[in-house]
Amino acid sequence: MGTRFARGLRLAVLAGVALLVVGCATGQLDATKPIGKEAQDIDGLMRLSGWMAVGVGIFVAAAVVVIIVKFRAKPTDDPDDLPPQIHGNRKAEITWTLIPTALLVFLTIITLPTVFALAREGDGRTIKVEGQQWWWQFSYDVNEDGDFDDAADIVTANDLVIPVGEEVNLEIHSNDVIHSFWIPQLNGKRDAVPGRVHHWRISSTEPGIFYGECVEFCGLSHANMQMRAIVLEEADFERWLEGQQAGRAAAAEPLAEDSAEAAGASLFETHCISCHVVDGVYESAAGGNANLLAGIAPNLTNLMSRTAFAGALYETYVQDADREYVRGPDGKLIVNIAGLREWVRNAPDLKPARADNLQGMLDFSEVLTDQDLDNLMAYLRTLGNEPVLPR
Ligand code: CUA
């Protein structure tokens, strides 16, 4: 009785586990297809130790089966008659101590060089990475003076743009709690710890978009603290850098009077600049008005040049079911204006946050009218050009 139910339950659990495992391989985070040199080294070690474990597992399972069959009690056996006992058998004890020791020593020897190689500094540029609740900021030291806060330097969010083949050094900081930086196809994880600077290196052997996530539980929207590496050919990367500078210059240009853009900019000045910066126009608290908190939210100077917003939770541009970008009749990418508008209207509805605790966007649904939102969208669309996408 009940066996049918038990069998059904067991099947359901198995099916659930299978789905879960399949889910791991089909999501955007994919550790099974390493692209960067560092990720490939880690993957090689993982596969080797995995296959060794499979070998040990098969050997143990086979031995158990053989022993069960070979030494099973026969009907003619005297139940009080014990088979020969091997406790204290020196040969057996030494054998089953030495084999696992040899396996572990072997694993240690082949792992150590990779551990040291991963800690090595790369020969490429350094990018500053800052984790905070719940998004990632990336700063580029354009004039290479070792300082990331000059007027010339570029600050962006969500998209970590790097050139293909370059060993990029990351200087990882946290502005609040412990986060962890992970783009599985490019390298392993590295924690972002307040008060500390952690160094890490990533590289990619091919252009593409590689997805990453914060992998240290950091509060309400930990799961929504995503990012992506946009890996570009060298020439495209240079084009991106120039585009960022051009976007900054364009953002400082005056807007046409009485336009929707100008109306949007005026709303931006009322509602947004206490958290968001636009280089050269609405500056951060550090460089300007000390009453402002500006700088705690993404720098929006080149907003439209990013493929994603809201901690890389939403796409800035429309994609089809295969995640291919859709282009309009003019050949340009189509802005996900409905998504961006809804985000500005009521962000906490799309991404759990604690704006009252300086964590995340406020709910503006009772503050901004439909007309206000349209004007704000018109202004935001002036900030930066289309992203440079990998070929
Ligand atoms: Cu940041 Cu989890």
Side-chain angles (χ1 to χ4, degrees):
M1 214 180 70
T3 51
R4 201 181 218 171
F5 173 73
R7 199 175 304 155
L9 186 71
R10 212 175 315 147
L11 267 178
V13 169
L14 264 179
V17 169
L19 276 178
L20 212 69
V21 170
V22 171
C24 291
T26 52
Q28 289 185 59
L29 283 196
D30 195 345
T32 64
K33 293 192 198 81
I35 300 293
K37 167 81 177 64
E38 295 78 13
Q40 285 168 357
D41 289 349
I42 294 173
D43 186 66
L45 286 174
M46 226 160 63
R47 277 172 204 276
L48 179 68
S49 53
W51 283 117
M52 281 169 64
V54 167
V56 170
I58 290 175
F59 172 77
V60 170
V64 167
V65 170
V66 166
I67 289 166
I68 288 172
V69 172
K70 195 171 171 196
F71 298 105
R72 72 187 185 282
K74 296 176 188 73
T76 51
D77 286 349
D78 174 2
D80 296 325
D81 193 12
L82 289 174
Q85 300 297 294
I86 58 159
H87 180 75
N89 181 316
R90 190 168 300 158
K91 227 192 233 168
E93 297 278 359
I94 289 178
T95 308
W96 66 51
T97 306
L98 276 188
I99 293 177
T101 308
L103 289 177
L104 289 179
V105 167
F106 171 71
L107 274 180
T108 308
I109 290 172
I110 58 159
T111 303
L112 274 179
T114 307
V115 171
F116 285 111
L118 287 176
R120 174 177 65 78
E121 190 180 332
D123 55 18
R125 80 195 65 235
T126 299
I127 296 172
K128 183 177 176 185
V129 174
E130 285 163 273
Q132 51 246 297
Q133 288 160 322
W134 289 278
W135 56 285
W136 294 95
Q137 174 163 287
F138 307 110
S139 304
Y140 294 73
D141 181 14
V142 176
N143 53 12
E144 293 176 10
D145 63 350
D147 170 5
F148 292 92
D149 299 320
D150 298 337
D153 295 339
I154 285 168
V155 179
T156 186
N158 309 331
D159 286 7
L160 172 56
V161 183
I162 62 169
V164 70
E166 184 172 311
E167 290 181 343
V168 175
N169 295 300
L170 303 178
E171 202 184 83
I172 303 178
H173 301 247
S174 165
N175 293 335
D176 38 44
V177 300
I178 302 178
H179 304 274
S180 192
F181 177 96
W182 194 34
I183 300 179
Q185 286 183 278
L186 302 189
N187 201 351
K189 301 164 186 168
R190 196 62 147 189
D191 279 2
V193 179
R196 289 184 63 104
V197 179
H198 286 170
H199 296 275
W200 204 218
R201 191 176 84 230
I202 55 168
S203 67
S204 175
T205 53
E206 51 189 78
I209 300 182
F210 306 104
Y211 298 89
E213 263 252 33
C214 173
V215 282
E216 176 71 48
F217 180 69
C218 57
L220 199 55
S221 255
H222 155 68
N224 301 323
M225 186 171 165
Q226 305 180 6
M227 66 184 130
R228 44 190 67 170
I230 313 284
V231 182
L232 301 173
E233 300 282 3
E234 185 64 42
D236 286 341
F237 179 78
E238 292 302 327
R239 205 153 58 81
W240 175 81
L241 269 182
E242 284 162 20
Q244 296 289 300
Q245 311 275 19
R248 173 155 46 201
E253 293 289 322
L255 297 159
E257 259 181 78
D258 298 325
S259 62
E261 288 82 358
S266 149
L267 285 160
F268 192 88
E269 203 163 308
T270 312
H271 299 291
C272 311
I273 61 166
S274 51
C275 296
H276 291 284
V277 165
V278 174
D279 291 350
V281 191
Y282 308 114
E283 282 300 346
S284 85
N289 187 342
N291 294 321
L292 299 180
L293 296 161
I296 65 159
N299 179 316
L300 297 180
T301 312
N302 279 291
L303 173 68
M304 300 319 292
S305 77
R306 301 172 195 158
T307 64
F309 62 93
L313 205 51
Y314 295 100
E315 297 292 334
T316 316
Y317 294 91
V318 177
Q319 293 183 332
D320 63 17
D322 299 325
R323 300 188 71 90
E324 295 290 334
Y325 285 102
V326 181
R327 288 184 185 273
D330 56 356
K332 291 197 162 158
L333 297 173
I334 300 168
V335 182
N336 171 17
I337 207 74
L340 194 59
R341 192 176 189 277
E342 186 53 26
W343 173 250
V344 173
R345 194 182 75 83
N346 188 356
D349 211 33
L350 299 180
K351 177 175 173 180
R354 286 277 314 278
D356 57 326
N357 203 31
L358 301 183
Q359 300 160 316
M361 280 264 284
L362 290 161
D363 172 6
F364 284 104
S365 58
E366 304 288 315
V367 180
L368 300 170
T369 64
D370 281 351
Q371 184 62 57
D372 290 346
L373 284 166
D374 288 343
N375 290 339
L376 266 172
M377 288 307 112
Y379 174 60
L380 292 182
R381 290 185 71 151
T382 67
L383 299 173
N385 301 307
E386 272 193 6
V388 178
L389 295 170
R391 291 165 204 258

